[in-house]
Amino acid sequence: MKFHVMTLFPEMIEQGLHTSILGRAMDAGIISLSTVNIRDYSEDKHRHVDDYPYGGGAGMVMAAEPIAKCYEDICAGGPKKRLIYLTPWGRVFNQDMAKELAKEEELVFLCGHYEGVDERVLSRYVTDPVSIGDYVLSGGELPAMVMIDAIARMVPGVLTNEESGETESFENNLLEYPQYTRPEVWRGEAVPEVLLSGHHANVDRWRTERSIDRTLMYRPELLAGAVLDKKAKKYYNEALAAQKRADDEASKNEK
Ligand code: SAM
């Protein structure tokens, strides 16, 4: 899979992504990354790519033409590629989106800066406006890196069997269970006994139940989409009832 990134800071993207699992996948030729400096498409002798906003107001706006030329160059000789514009007003990125985007052969990312980008080039070429969360960052580079990392992990061959994403958070709408490694006792605190038992069915059951506990505690809205077997569903209903009793008790004590 090939990732193209249109940016004013190509070195930021290169340095951020050529490490660890993604670096290894690039070396193996499973994914590739190409950064393009939008400034190279400026028609201005000072290489400006921004201008004042029509209608007044604070800040500068990235002009349409350098971005259009940059994107057209990336697509030259082939069909238009899916173009993701990183923006706080886009659809919020999640694991399902990462999986869906990982099916593409190529993706182009547009990193904004300043107050944003001239709407005319966005409406002409952008297929997916995407946000990484409800906060405002200074530029689209970090969001692009976040998305590329999450998408690349879903590309077959990027994760080894040991790193498999199958048991990670958001699989089956559950958060991941707690993890432990050596030593068996750390500062007086022992690893849960079931994990030392070697009894795989019990370990699996314990992990499912801890995933349910954690999801109920931090992201209860996810559980509506989780597929649970009979035992897990029973555990969930009991945990939900216990949580409700605790909430009722707490609000009674507040009064
Ligand atoms: N004026 C814009 C607004 O209110 O929506 C914010 C511009 S922001 C300072 C500059 C650039 O950072 C944006 O064009 C976008 O590319 C990127 N950016 C900022 N926050 C982001 C977020 N939560 N998700 C994705 N991209 C973001």
Side-chain angles (χ1 to χ4, degrees):
M1 176 169 193
K2 181 155 194 178
F3 299 98
H4 305 263
V5 186
M6 301 196 277
T7 168
L8 296 176
F9 301 97
E11 66 291 346
M12 189 173 168
I13 303 280
E14 299 278 350
Q15 283 167 12
L17 292 179
H18 273 282
T19 50
S20 182
I21 291 174
L22 266 66
R24 185 186 65 201
M26 282 183 224
D27 292 343
I30 303 166
I31 58 169
S32 69
L33 174 71
S34 152
T35 54
V36 194
N37 194 335
I38 299 167
R39 241 178 247 293
D40 292 344
Y41 294 84
S42 166
E43 286 169 332
D44 183 290
K45 69 171 183 209
H46 301 293
R47 297 185 19 110
H48 285 143
V49 288
D50 58 328
D51 214 326
Y52 293 99
Y54 279 116
M60 303 294 274
V61 174
M62 288 175 76
E65 189 59 14
I67 291 171
K69 282 209 173 118
C70 184
Y71 175 66
E72 285 156 3
D73 213 9
I74 290 170
C75 298
K80 292 268 175 291
K81 301 182 203 312
R82 201 158 168 183
L83 173 56
I84 293 161
Y85 172 47
L86 287 315
T87 173
W89 53 259
R91 265 175 69 206
V92 179
F93 187 53
N94 61 22
Q95 191 71 5
D96 285 343
M97 225 192 273
K99 278 187 198 160
E100 190 254 322
L101 290 167
K103 293 179 188 147
E104 299 286 333
E105 275 174 28
E106 290 186 68
L107 286 173
V108 186
F109 292 81
L110 168 60
C111 305
H113 260 275
Y114 318 118
E115 285 311 307
V117 173
D118 189 308
E119 188 66 23
R120 291 166 295 184
V121 71
L122 298 181
S123 55
R124 184 166 302 211
Y125 287 136
V126 170
T127 54
D128 306 75
V130 181
S131 163
I132 61 156
D134 292 347
Y135 39 79
V136 177
L137 299 163
S138 312
E141 284 72 18
L142 288 171
M145 287 194 267
V146 166
M147 284 190 69
I148 292 170
D149 189 317
I151 295 166
R153 293 171 64 81
M154 296 294 114
V155 173
V158 168
L159 296 183
T160 61
N161 280 345
E162 296 80 59
E163 294 159 351
S164 157
E166 274 168 32
T167 60
E168 283 182 319
S169 292
F170 306 111
E171 275 307 309
N172 189 22
N173 273 35
L174 291 174
L175 302 181
E176 198 188 49
Y177 46 80
Q179 301 271 18
Y180 300 86
T181 185
R182 288 196 292 186
E184 204 176 304
V185 178
W186 175 76
R187 299 191 181 184
E189 202 177 327
V191 167
E193 229 176 279
V194 63
L195 300 181
L196 310 175
S197 67
H199 192 303
H200 295 304
N202 286 353
V203 170
D204 285 351
R205 180 64 39 211
W206 180 90
R207 286 180 165 165
T208 303
E209 291 179 358
R210 297 300 75 73
S211 279
I212 291 172
D213 291 342
R214 189 169 267 180
T215 314
L216 201 52
M217 168 89 85
Y218 296 110
R219 298 291 303 278
E221 78 284 3
L222 289 177
L223 276 158
V227 179
L228 303 175
D229 65 20
K230 220 166 146 190
K231 278 188 183 163
K233 209 173 268 172
K234 184 166 177 281
Y235 180 81
Y236 169 49
N237 287 332
E238 285 165 5
L240 201 59
Q243 194 190 53
K244 192 174 171 319
R245 278 196 303 275
D247 289 349
D248 289 349
E249 194 62 33
S251 67
K252 221 188 314 171
N253 290 340
E254 261 171 33
K255 283 178 192 161

